[in-house]
Amino acid sequence: MAISVRNYTNRYLAFAILIIMAVWALLFYALLMDEVYDNIDDGLKNQKIEIIREAFNDPALINNSKEFGINQFRISNTTPSEDLDKNKFSRKLIYMPYDEEEEPYRILTTGFYGKDGQAYLLEIRTSTVEEDDFLINLAISLSVLYLVIVISILLINHFVLRKAWRPFKDTLVNLNQYRFADDKSFNPIKSQVKEFEELNLQINRMIDRNEQVFNDQKRFLENASHELQTPLAISIGKMELLLQDADLSEAQLIKLSEAKQSLHRMVALNKSLLMLSRIDNNQYNKEEEVNFNELLKMLLEEFKELYTYKNLKVNMLEEGTFLLSMNPDLATILISNLLRNAIKYNKEGGEITILTNSERLIISNTGLNEALNPNYIFERFHKGSQDSHSNGLGLSIVKSIVEKTNDLSIAYAFEEGNHQFILRKVK
């Protein structure tokens, strides 16, 4: 599922900051503890020098420091060695009566020779920081800092980046309103951001190229349609003259009649393809509120001879008025094609039922006792088994009109032996 740039940025920033702060916390902890122990060790070394100096001046200190006392050091006898005076540091947990728990201590172990020439072992200890408590406090502090940073970023994104991205959103809205052959339908949004200005420049160039291609295509289609219509009309006229020739045999007349029908189908196909092209190219861009109830009544009157010829019964049930804002010419083509479809593929003596209300318009008709395939009936050049002479573009034109009309959808259903085409408002 797609998300906005702001949420996308916030998500990755929050994750990146979490990783960076975790690594930084480990390094900071290691550096801080190293500095703490370095200072403690320096203090123990300094204390060592003072104790040895005092023991040399006052040998009685050696006998009085056999155990750790207030001064936190002890001196005991040891054997002479080459590294007797070498400093050795260690850590040890020692029970503290005040806290009633063991606390960490840093211990310096070294040796020295007394005034009497005897080798002595000196142990000095001092309390250090409780690392577990220090870690907990550090984690709490960093967690609070992390939350403050993330909240600050969210606020910055909300108040600052929203303003910075506003031209981009306005550009998207304008692009959605853009229509071919309407230069004023897209208005570039001025911005102080260099990238957005570049985006507007490229969009304008793209629109200019598309408009040029669109105009070239429109002229080509109109010219091609006009050039095709003329020779087709001439050919049909000549066929009609030939059909009036009394010297032709019946077989020849039949073949000429079939050829004439093929030419008529070609004319109809040419007109349908031209209409589809105009619909797809948004050449019907004028919109107004259309009353489909009145449009249906008008078209039913025009098609009266067609459905009367097949003895069809037409029922129009008006539960409400179906009103929709769209191009009136497209609305007429849409309903005409649906009505022609209901008449053409109906059975002799069948029925056509039209239901209208404020949300739906349903045109249903009797016909084949099996459902059509809804995956193909709106495809271009798809022909059912009922009419091999159809060009397969009637319902395709209907589908194209619906797709180009806002807030309108079409669906097919087969219920109780009736084929239903349902126009529905989309909210």
Side-chain angles (χ1 to χ4, degrees), residues 389-403:
H389 299 295
S390 170
N391 59 30
L393 291 176
L395 291 179
S396 178
I397 292 174
V398 168
K399 184 66 173 178
S400 294
I401 293 173
V402 170
E403 290 176 347

Side-chain angles (χ1 to χ4, degrees), residues 143-195:
S143 298
V144 173
L145 179 61
Y146 173 74
L147 291 176
V148 170
I149 291 175
V150 171
I151 292 173
S152 300
I153 291 174
L154 293 177
L155 292 175
I156 291 172
N157 279 349
H158 181 73
F159 292 105
V160 178
L161 293 185
R162 182 178 64 174
K163 182 179 180 180
W165 280 95
R166 184 175 300 164
F168 179 76
K169 292 183 177 180
D170 293 339
T171 299
L172 291 180
V173 172
N174 285 349
L175 277 175
N176 187 54
Q177 296 174 348
Y178 168 69
R179 295 293 181 270
F180 278 119
D182 186 0
D183 297 335
K184 297 181 180 180
S185 60
F186 176 76
N187 296 314
I189 304 299
K190 292 184 178 180
S191 172
Q192 298 178 349
V193 180
K194 180 181 178 181
E195 287 77 8

Side-chain angles (χ1 to χ4, degrees), residues 8-133:
Y8 181 87
T9 304
N10 288 340
R11 183 174 65 183
Y12 282 96
L13 275 177
F15 181 74
I17 291 173
L18 178 62
I19 298 298
I20 292 171
M21 289 192 65
V23 174
W24 178 84
L26 292 175
L27 295 175
F28 176 75
Y29 173 76
L31 180 64
L32 187 62
M33 293 305 298
D34 181 72
E35 185 66 23
V36 168
Y37 283 126
D38 185 64
N39 289 333
I40 291 175
D41 293 346
D42 289 344
L44 290 174
K45 291 175 186 177
N46 186 67
Q47 191 175 355
K48 163 194 167 182
I49 294 173
E50 293 179 355
I51 292 173
I52 292 175
R53 183 183 298 158
E54 185 68 23
F56 191 83
N57 294 330
D58 184 10
L61 178 66
I62 297 176
N63 296 324
N64 296 331
S65 304
K66 297 297 182 180
E67 297 294 337
F68 288 105
I70 298 175
N71 294 325
Q72 295 294 307
F73 71 89
R74 70 181 178 182
I75 301 175
S76 58
N77 296 326
T78 187
T79 57
S81 63
E82 293 183 0
D83 59 345
L84 178 67
D85 60 345
K86 184 176 181 181
N87 297 324
K88 299 177 183 178
F89 294 96
S90 61
R91 294 173 59 201
K92 186 177 181 181
L93 294 175
I94 298 176
Y95 180 78
M96 299 290 291
Y98 177 78
D99 292 332
E100 296 184 352
E101 62 179 0
E102 293 183 336
E103 299 291 345
Y105 270 75
R106 187 74 168 171
I107 299 175
L108 167 61
T109 304
T110 186
F112 68 94
Y113 290 96
K115 191 173 184 180
D116 56 1
Q118 177 66 34
Y120 294 99
L121 180 68
L122 173 62
E123 294 176 276
I124 309 172
R125 69 184 186 184
T126 185
S127 177
T128 62
V129 295
E130 299 183 36
E131 294 185 33
D132 53 347
D133 292 341

